[in-house]
Amino acid sequence: MSQTLSPATPPAAPPPGPAALRLSRPRRVLRLVSVVACVPYLALKAAWIGGSHVGIPDGSPLLEHRVTMIIANGVTVLMDAGVIVLALLLTRPWGLRTPAWLLAAPLWVATGLLTPIMAGYPLQLAVGALGGDTGGPSGGSGDEPFLDGWVFGVVYTGFIVQGVALGSLFALHARDRWGHVWRGRIGDGPPSAGDRWTRIAAVVAAPLALFPACLHALWAAGSTVGLGEGRVQGRTADFPVLEFLDVVYLVAAVGGALVLAFRRLPALPVKVPLALAWAGSGATGCWGAWLLAASLTGPADDLAPGPSGPTVLAYAVQMITGLLVAAAGARHLTRRAEPTA
């Protein structure tokens, strides 16, 4: 008799209590690492809000819009401080009593914002080591300075450490709390009634993703179709690599959702497409939303034109695609967790 779990018949599992969370030494270390990794970024942001120019060279565009800089830095301080809160939620008994959506939503956002940095920054360093001009992780280049080079090294290294530590804590927490939901294989058991809504979300997301995926693929291949003048002039050696990664995130998101919705690759463990949909939708949706907000709220500058219309539209479609895939994944997990009559 197969011992794998059916999507329609998950085992009855009592809610985990405080004893289920064993705060082992590895979890303590991961929690400490998560918190400490936030310190350099928070310290820099606090200094900039206070008026310091540490790490900001003379002539940087950041010095031209004081109020905007304070607001933006204040928002990002709150976001990074959220990592500390999440690290506590994932390692304290009261975190087990937190509603699933209240924990999963910010972790999905954290995954979405940190994944492109964790994947992109090491590749940028590799391109730079091979002699390519990367222009810094901000994607900016040209004659105007933005930030001192050491700032990117400190901040992005901290983000990568945060991602690894927080991701590890979440994996352990999810195993203890929801492990019975994502065990088994794609083809186990009959399809549930909820698959109809999962399919709708996946089917809508797939064609939507084609637009940004095609644009990013063209840009990765060297085309300037749809790129604004500023982006064309600001391309550096790492530009094709980062554009290719955007295609990878879209493919992972939609591919994971389609596998879950239509139960393709029946021998594949459920956790594989779930992980692809989770990380891909987060990187696509959250990073797309972040870039869209930056495009629409950034200060206008005739000397540094903003993103083109197709670029802004691509950001918007990426955000919608990521949200649809996230909804499909959430629906799938919810249906698997429901006991049958």
Side-chain angles (χ1 to χ4, degrees):
M1 177 182 296
S2 172
Q3 295 182 357
T4 56
L5 305 183
S6 165
T9 57
L21 184 63
R22 300 186 301 274
L23 193 55
S24 59
R25 181 180 295 273
R27 296 196 199 210
R28 293 177 185 273
V29 171
L30 288 170
R31 182 177 62 187
L32 178 62
V33 170
S34 299
V35 173
V36 172
C38 296
V39 173
Y41 184 79
L42 293 176
L44 271 174
K45 292 289 184 172
W48 292 343
I49 292 174
S52 173
H53 293 174
V54 60
I56 306 177
D58 294 336
S60 172
L62 293 176
L63 302 177
E64 299 174 3
H65 307 280
R66 173 66 179 161
V67 175
T68 301
M69 181 181 177
I70 291 176
I71 295 174
N73 285 329
V75 171
T76 52
V77 162
L78 292 176
M79 293 173 63
D80 204 47
V83 172
I84 299 175
V85 176
L86 289 173
L88 293 175
L89 277 171
L90 295 172
T91 54
R92 301 302 302 167
W94 45 269
L96 291 170
R97 298 188 294 271
T98 304
W101 66 269
L102 190 58
L103 183 61
L107 281 166
W108 179 74
V109 173
T111 301
L113 294 178
L114 291 175
T115 295
I117 296 173
M118 297 173 67
Y121 185 55
L123 291 178
Q124 286 183 294
L125 292 179
V127 171
L130 294 174
D133 176 20
T134 61
S138 66
S141 64
D143 297 331
E144 285 190 340
F146 184 68
L147 287 171
D148 290 337
W150 65 265
V151 175
F152 293 117
V154 170
V155 169
Y156 279 70
T157 299
F159 283 158
I160 291 174
V161 174
Q162 290 176 36
V164 172
L166 194 65
S168 299
L169 284 175
F170 179 53
L172 293 171
H173 184 96
R175 181 196 64 186
D176 292 343
R177 186 171 177 181
W178 303 299
H180 63 285
V181 176
W182 42 263
R183 293 194 188 103
R185 301 184 182 276
I186 295 295
D188 291 345
S192 67
D195 283 345
R196 178 166 66 96
W197 299 106
T198 305
R199 288 171 181 165
I200 290 174
V203 167
V204 173
L208 280 178
L210 287 176
F211 172 68
C214 289
L215 272 184
H216 288 301
L218 287 172
W219 296 340
S223 173
T224 60
V225 173
L227 275 178
E229 181 182 350
R231 292 291 298 278
V232 172
Q233 295 176 352
R235 288 182 301 172
T236 50
D238 59 344
F239 180 81
V241 176
L242 299 180
E243 293 302 317
F244 174 75
L245 286 178
D246 284 329
V247 178
V248 172
Y249 306 143
L250 285 161
V251 171
V254 174
L258 290 174
V259 170
L260 290 174
F262 293 95
R263 308 180 71 207
R264 303 301 181 188
L265 306 175
L268 188 69
V270 172
K271 60 186 177 183
V272 174
L274 273 177
L276 290 174
W278 174 275
S281 67
T284 297
C286 298
W287 201 250
W290 179 261
L291 294 175
L292 177 63
S295 301
L296 298 178
T297 61
D301 190 343
D302 293 336
L303 298 178
S308 65
T311 301
V312 174
L313 181 58
Y315 295 156
V317 175
Q318 285 177 217
M319 177 184 66
I320 296 170
T321 301
L323 290 172
L324 284 170
V325 172
R331 178 68 176 181
H332 182 84
L333 286 175
T334 300
R335 294 301 297 182
R336 284 178 62 87
E338 290 178 355
T340 56

